[in-house]
Amino acid sequence: MAATRMRILLASTPVGPLGSGIGGGVELTLHDLVYGLGERGHHVEVVAPAGSLHVGERVHQVDGRLQASSQHAPRHAPAETHGDSVLPRMWNRVAELQDDVDIVVNLAYDWLPLYLTRYLRVPVVHLISMGSVSDSMDRAITDVGERFPGRLAAHTHAQAATYAAPEMFRIVGNGIVVERYDFVPTAGDDALGFVGRISPEKGLEDVAALGARTGRVVKVWGMMQDEAYWHSVRRGAPDAQLEYQGFLPTDDLQAAIGPCSAVVMTPKWVEAFGNVAIEAMATGVPVITYDRGGPAEIVVDGVTGFVVAPDDIDALVDAVRRIDTIDRRRCRERVEREFSSAAMADRVIAWIDEVVGAHTGATR
Ligand code: HBI
């Protein structure tokens, strides 16, 4: 069924302008949706903090104080707003635009957009970008799930399972513009790759231990978010050969990852998705990951990499030993089939088409 052309407004994260990297995976998801939905003929506009890169047909840039990241706040922390916060101003702009769009897709992991859902005339859907991290967000998410069934989506089942009612969420995966990633048919060296913000929840210490145990170089890409953590990792694994490569934009990152023999993901929290897994696999690089969170639903054990017992360094060592049994083309093919921007856009369009249809009561 061909969906009619929809006017879609994407509300971005208030933690940072698009292109700053502060929004992490949400920035990639937003870019991908703009591309995929635009490709399918829908009109897409974006509301984002001032200083954002241009994406889609129009970016409404909003001034104001950036929101503190909720993933590092304690669970009981209250939702926070200041006189000059960018988030309420972004949603003032959403309210001004609501009669010119068919649907608003919220990508912010914040209390306000969820609370406003009941007061806006336009249907608002929420692509929840993290697992449960705060009581106030859990409450706001559950309220929307109860009042507006069908308006919540998550990237993976593991992420949804961190909430009290996982069945409230439609699972939509994620996607990348696969054409931006160059397939590398054979490993250039035996280096292991780690990609991610240098922060405790990413478990870099385990990859360092793996490097020390296997004698393989570990190349580290990502924003240096927690310098003290980085130094503690190095002190903890003096024999590991860790080579920090900095934070690279997607085009450079994919070229740098391609030659690796594997990318290793050792999340200590329930990663909602794990874009790194599909970016690595898109270049043909197999992924070794803990059986924890999103990456474990992306990697097919024994086919596109290995899914091993969480926090088990021996299991990581065994997976590295077997990594050459993985056919790198199978890694690329899985991303093309399941995690391209086209596949993700199709899943999101099916979701929002249902919501818009139900909202207008019209059959489409
Ligand atoms: N914190 N308050 C807040 N709002 C967000 O939208 C947000 C965040 N922390 C992290 C984050 N978004 C994204 O980097 C992840 O959801 C991917």
Side-chain angles (χ1 to χ4, degrees), residues 116-310:
L116 290 176
T117 304
R118 69 198 76 179
Y119 298 118
L120 288 168
R121 291 185 295 281
V122 66
V124 182
V125 295
H126 302 274
L127 177 44
I128 301 298
S129 61
M130 288 194 277
S132 167
V133 292
S134 90
D135 300 339
S136 75
M137 276 300 287
D138 285 8
R139 177 74 266 148
I141 288 170
T142 302
D143 280 352
V144 167
E146 288 168 352
R147 283 171 185 264
F148 302 99
R151 299 284 189 89
L152 296 172
H155 291 295
T156 62
H157 294 282
Q159 177 200 349
T162 65
Y163 295 95
E167 67 283 354
M168 291 189 303
F169 297 90
R170 185 186 189 106
I171 307 304
V172 294
N174 210 348
I176 52 175
V177 182
V178 189
E179 297 74 25
R180 292 180 67 184
Y181 297 77
D182 303 320
F183 176 63
V184 177
T186 52
D189 53 33
D190 64 2
L192 301 174
F194 171 92
V195 185
R197 287 175 289 106
I198 312 299
S199 184
E201 70 269 15
K202 299 286 185 179
L204 178 57
E205 66 274 17
D206 290 6
V207 184
L210 175 63
R213 288 275 300 275
T214 57
R216 290 181 180 231
V217 167
V218 177
K219 293 182 179 175
V220 177
W221 290 276
M223 182 198 272
M224 181 57 74
Q225 190 159 49
D226 184 334
E227 194 107 28
Y229 170 64
W230 168 249
H231 292 304
S232 79
V233 167
R234 302 208 56 149
R235 277 196 307 277
D239 303 339
Q241 303 166 72
L242 295 181
E243 297 178 1
Y244 181 55
Q245 311 283 322
F247 169 80
L248 298 182
T250 300
D251 294 344
D252 302 330
L253 177 67
Q254 64 86 27
I257 291 176
C260 286
S261 61
V263 158
V264 185
M265 300 181 77
T266 51
K268 296 298 180 181
W269 69 326
V270 174
E271 191 86 47
F273 185 71
N275 288 314
V276 167
I278 55 177
E279 293 187 288
M281 285 161 53
T283 66
V285 177
V287 175
I288 298 170
T289 183
Y290 285 155
D291 190 2
R292 176 182 284 146
E297 292 178 37
I298 296 167
V299 177
V300 179
D301 187 44
V303 178
T304 70
F306 295 105
V307 180
V308 306

Side-chain angles (χ1 to χ4, degrees), residues 75-95:
R75 278 207 69 85
H76 56 274
E80 180 185 278
T81 192
H82 300 267
D84 58 351
S85 285
V86 71
L87 184 59
R89 295 177 180 181
M90 285 170 66
W91 282 81
N92 282 342
R93 183 67 59 84
V94 171

Side-chain angles (χ1 to χ4, degrees), residues 13-15 22-26 67-71 107-110 129-130:
T13 172
V15 298
I22 303 170
V26 165
Q67 194 75 15
S69 178
S70 54
Q71 82 204 74
L107 293 163
Y109 194 85
D110 289 278
S129 61
M130 288 194 277

